[in-house]
């Protein structure tokens, strides 16, 4: 396995941040996944939670249980242990999307900006395999890696006051899905009827860091049908479990 250096710093008196590099890449992401898997397996007393990002993991701990030096020693040992582990499984989630001006008010603008047809923008956006690097901004909002830079476009100059939940957006060379109604400055090119955040579910979020994701274009009729199934609590998200032997093969398709 490729070696990646780390360093850690305290964040106040009850958190510590481990950095795994300064670039966004699948190799850095794998190390973060290994480290978080070890934290999950061991359930160390005094560790409250951990939050992975593109290239860091922040660990919150009880300062009554551990001093900074004590928690740092424990986590450094855990990191060394995590370097010998592998991912035994992952998830491939398919997200159906209606790419249409009714729900994607910026679809035409993105096409015009790149001098593509709308169909070409849809094809470019829905063709790649994506990786969920992290969840943030709002509960369940996935930051995805793997979008083709051919449709990259910078954020809106004036963010919208309200973007509907399920809206699929582009900002720079990133794409993501709004999980709840919220303000937002990404260019919206479509919408999924599949909820990404449901408070009463366990877990309440559909996606998690480390998931692979694909977008599938659907018609208005299909959108309405899925939306109705969701309302009746009959819709089941399309999720496939990928096992150890398949993970490297499928990750090779990522454009990172």
């Amino acid at each position: 396995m490729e070696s990646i250096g780390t360093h850690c710093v305290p964040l106040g008196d009850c958190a510590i941040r481990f950095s795994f590099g300064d670039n966004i890449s699948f190799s850095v992401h794998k190390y973060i996944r290994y480290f978080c898997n070890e934290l999950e397996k061991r359930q160390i007393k005094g560790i409250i939670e951990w939050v992975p990002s593109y290239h860091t993991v922040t660990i919150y701990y009880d300062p009554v249980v551990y001093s900074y030096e004590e928690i740092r020693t424990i986590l450094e040992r855990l990191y060394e242990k995590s370097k010998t582990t592998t991912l035994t499984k992952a998830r491939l989630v398919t997200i159906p999307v209606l790419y249409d001006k009714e729900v994607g008010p910026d679809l035409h603008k993105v096409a015009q900006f790149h001098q593509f047809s709308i169909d070409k923008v849809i094809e470019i956006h829905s063709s790649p395999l994506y990786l969920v690097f992290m969840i943030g901004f709002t509960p369940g909002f996935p930051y995805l890696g793997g979008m083709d830079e051919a449709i990259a476009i910078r954020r809106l100059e004036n963010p919208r006051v309200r973007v509907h939940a399920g809206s699929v957006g582009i900002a720079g060379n990133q794409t993501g899905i709004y999980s709840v109604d919220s303000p937002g400055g990404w260019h919206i090119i479509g919408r999924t009827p599949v909820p990404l955040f449901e408070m009463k579910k366990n877990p309440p979020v559909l996606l998690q860091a480390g998931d692979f994701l694909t977008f599938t274009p659907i018609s208005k009729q299909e959108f309405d049908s899925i939306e109705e199934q969701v309302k009746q609590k009959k819709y089941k998200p399309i999720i496939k479990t990928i096992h150890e032997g398949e993970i490297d093969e499928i990750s090779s398709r990522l454009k990172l």
Side-chain angles (χ1 to χ4, degrees):
M1 191 192 307
E2 175 190 355
S3 177
I4 292 179
T6 63
H7 72 273
C8 53
V9 294
L11 293 180
D13 63 351
C14 60
I16 179 172
R17 174 171 291 168
F18 270 67
S19 296
F20 291 75
D22 56 7
N23 63 313
I24 300 173
S25 70
F26 184 63
S27 57
V28 168
H29 176 76
K30 282 197 296 185
Y31 270 93
I32 288 174
R33 287 288 309 282
Y34 299 152
F35 185 61
C36 290
N37 283 353
E38 286 296 318
L39 286 167
E40 181 69 35
K41 281 193 304 184
R42 295 177 185 273
Q43 294 293 309
I44 299 167
K45 181 182 177 182
I47 291 182
I48 299 168
E49 66 174 334
W50 51 92
V51 181
S53 70
Y54 283 121
H55 44 74
T56 68
V57 179
T58 301
I59 302 98
Y60 294 89
Y61 64 94
D62 186 344
V64 174
V65 178
Y66 298 116
S67 69
Y68 170 73
E69 291 302 330
E70 287 171 334
I71 195 66
R72 175 173 177 164
T73 299
I74 290 170
L75 293 173
E76 284 178 339
R77 288 173 181 165
L78 196 66
Y79 168 72
E80 289 301 318
K81 173 68 177 175
S82 73
K83 290 196 294 187
T84 64
T85 65
T86 58
L87 297 177
T88 57
K89 62 181 180 179
R91 303 193 312 167
L92 175 60
V93 183
T94 300
I95 299 293
V97 177
L98 173 61
Y99 295 94
D100 184 86
K101 64 180 180 180
E102 181 182 339
V103 292
D106 301 314
L107 181 59
H108 180 72
K109 179 180 175 182
V110 173
Q112 228 177 15
F113 181 80
H114 292 288
Q115 298 184 326
F116 288 146
S117 67
I118 286 176
D119 285 345
K120 185 64 175 177
V121 171
I122 295 170
E123 178 191 340
I124 292 172
H125 187 265
S126 62
S127 294
L129 177 73
Y130 294 92
L131 174 68
V132 180
F133 272 108
M134 63 179 183
I135 302 295
F137 176 52
T138 57
F141 184 105
Y143 285 85
L144 306 175
M147 191 186 78
D148 192 324
E149 292 189 10
I151 53 172
I153 187 169
R154 61 185 179 183
R155 294 168 182 263
L156 295 170
E157 289 186 12
N158 298 302
R160 293 184 171 93
V161 174
R162 184 190 181 203
V163 177
H164 288 284
S167 294
V168 177
I170 297 174
N173 60 359
Q174 291 182 300
T175 188
I177 311 167
Y178 284 77
S179 55
V180 298
D181 290 356
S182 68
W186 293 33
H187 284 83
I188 305 304
I189 63 171
R191 189 184 301 171
T192 178
V194 179
L196 271 63
F197 176 72
E198 296 179 274
M199 180 69 79
K200 294 182 179 179
K201 279 197 170 184
N202 184 24
V205 296
L206 173 62
L207 301 172
Q208 58 193 31
D211 283 345
F212 296 100
L213 183 149
T214 58
F215 291 114
T216 297
I218 57 173
S219 65
K220 180 65 165 63
Q221 184 177 359
E222 290 171 311
F223 182 97
D224 292 341
S225 174
I226 294 173
E227 193 171 50
E228 184 60 32
Q229 292 175 55
V230 169
K231 288 178 182 176
Q232 296 178 13
K233 302 191 183 305
K234 294 180 179 179
Y235 182 77
K236 291 186 177 180
I238 304 168
I239 301 174
K240 177 186 176 183
T241 300
I242 304 167
H243 296 286
E244 185 174 353
E246 303 172 277
I247 292 175
D248 285 340
E249 185 278 325
I250 197 169
S251 65
S252 68
R253 292 166 47 195
L254 290 167
K255 294 181 179 180
L256 296 175

